[in-house]
Amino acid sequence: SSVPLKKRGMVESDDRPPIKCPKKDQDEKSAAAALALLSGSPKPAAPAQASAKSPAHFSDESDGSISDSEVSYTSLNSVLPKPIHAPPTNSMMVDHTYTDYSVISEQSLAFLEEGEDLPTKVSEEEKKKHARRVQKIKSIFGDVGPSKKNSGGVVKPFPEKLIEVLDRTDMETIITWMPHGRAFVVLQPQQLRDIVLPRFFKQTKFMSFTRQLNLWGFKRITKGVDSGAYYHELFLRGRPRLAILMKRQKIKGTGIKLTPNPDTEPDFYKISKKRPLPPVDASAKEDKPLPPLRH
């Protein structure tokens, strides 16, 4: 019994198949996944048989979804808007990080408007979908609710008045959307002061108008085709409900003027090639009568 195994001829051949250890294999896979996560390397492709489960994930996308776009959500795990232009930021320079909120459908924002409640005769499933949409919106913007713009004598907020002006065909030679619909430009500042401001806004001077733009978070493009145009992530052509979510700064500035940062400004033409806004049919527009001059 003290004879070594090698001498007793009991050593097994090296060419036999190795013994599989499920726990060891799982530990190795877990370690590899953790290493890939830390290193930022992409996850390995899922096995072919896993594709049979993908419809279950898609069903969640259409069940209480906040998006109408098939292009915007390329990842099934990504259901909230993400920055699509995120340059390095500097606290003393204008931050031009841009998040594409156009992926949020107008229908999912209907609850923000007075009188846009769910119909009384809807199924329980529809009520659940609506509740999920509202919850997703609140997870992005906080505890938002219906706008009070038309009640209690409260006038329309500045962004909603501005959209009303920009959507008029009789104002296009004075102030207009850029072709991509993600920014607008004032073409005739003097006419804006004399014709537009007295009819739609409280402000009577062009400088007061631009001050309101700053207070509402608009940023100015300083180079390229859009030079001189103003933009805001939530201020998009054809998307008036998104503008309801805009917030005015409570404090009028910090006394520090931020340095322009042209090298980090978003290229809306490039962005719009992948994520174009819905086209607007100008022939279907019918301008309301101009309000009277108020001052």
Side-chain angles (χ1 to χ4, degrees):
S1 60
S2 61
V3 180
L5 292 176
K6 185 175 181 179
K7 290 185 177 180
R8 295 169 59 184
M10 297 179 65
V11 177
E12 295 179 351
S13 172
D14 291 338
D15 57 357
R16 69 174 182 173
I19 299 175
K20 293 185 177 181
C21 178
K23 185 177 185 309
K24 181 179 179 182
D25 291 346
Q26 184 63 36
D27 290 344
E28 289 178 352
K29 289 180 180 178
S30 300
L35 182 60
L37 183 63
L38 291 172
S39 62
S41 58
K43 294 175 65 176
Q49 62 267 25
S51 61
K53 297 183 179 181
S54 57
H57 296 285
F58 277 104
S59 64
D60 184 65
E61 181 70 8
S62 60
D63 187 11
S65 171
I66 60 172
S67 173
D68 285 339
S69 171
E70 296 179 358
V71 180
S72 302
Y73 292 140
T74 55
S75 169
L76 296 179
N77 296 323
S78 176
V79 292
L80 298 178
K82 287 184 175 182
I84 56 175
H85 176 78
T89 58
N90 184 318
S91 60
M92 299 303 295
M93 303 181 78
V94 178
D95 179 8
H96 287 289
T97 302
Y98 188 82
T99 300
D100 183 17
Y101 289 107
S102 69
V103 298
I104 302 176
S105 71
E106 279 288 283
Q107 181 184 2
S108 66
L109 298 172
F111 76 97
L112 293 172
E113 295 187 352
E114 284 292 317
E116 291 290 340
D117 297 327
L118 278 177
T120 53
K121 294 182 179 181
V122 294
S123 66
E124 287 300 318
E125 185 61 27
E126 286 298 321
K127 290 181 180 179
K128 290 179 181 179
K129 286 183 180 181
H130 174 73
R132 282 193 285 271
R133 291 190 186 103
V134 173
Q135 189 58 42
K136 286 181 179 180
I137 298 299
K138 290 185 176 182
S139 70
I140 304 170
F141 300 103
D143 191 17
V144 294
S147 170
K148 302 296 182 182
K149 64 182 181 182
N150 294 323
S151 61
V154 179
V155 297
K156 290 182 181 179
F158 178 84
E160 294 178 60
K161 291 181 183 178
L162 185 54
I163 280 186
E164 182 182 344
V165 172
L166 285 164
D167 285 346
R168 296 185 66 95
T169 59
D170 55 0
M171 295 291 176
E172 291 178 344
T173 59
I174 301 173
I175 180 171
T176 186
W177 291 105
M178 299 305 292
H180 45 68
R182 294 179 182 269
F184 73 93
V185 64
V186 177
L187 300 173
Q188 302 290 341
Q190 186 172 344
Q191 291 187 36
L192 181 84
R193 182 197 64 192
D194 297 338
I195 300 174
V196 180
L197 296 185
R199 297 178 188 275
F200 295 92
F201 301 94
K202 292 181 179 179
Q203 293 74 33
T204 58
K205 299 179 180 179
F206 183 71
M207 288 299 295
S208 300
F209 175 77
T210 58
R211 190 179 299 115
Q212 284 297 311
L213 293 177
N214 292 329
L215 289 172
W216 281 93
F218 285 90
K219 296 170 185 177
R220 190 169 181 267
I221 300 292
T222 61
K223 72 171 187 177
V225 180
D226 289 347
S227 180
Y230 293 89
Y231 77 92
H232 189 290
E233 296 169 319
L234 295 170
F235 196 79
L236 306 174
R237 184 188 61 207
R239 302 301 310 278
R241 287 171 177 163
L242 277 176
I244 296 176
L245 296 165
M246 294 174 64
K247 296 180 180 179
R248 187 178 185 271
Q249 294 180 16
K250 295 181 180 179
I251 301 176
K252 295 185 178 181
T254 59
I256 301 174
K257 187 176 180 179
L258 297 177
T259 304
N261 200 3
D263 292 338
T264 66
E265 293 171 358
D267 183 346
F268 291 124
Y269 296 92
K270 182 178 180 180
I271 291 171
S272 295
K273 284 183 178 180
K274 293 184 178 180
R275 297 173 173 85
L277 295 178
V280 176
D281 184 7
S283 62
K285 283 186 177 181
E286 185 175 349
D287 294 331
K288 296 179 181 179
L290 276 174
L293 293 169
R294 290 182 291 185
H295 41 259

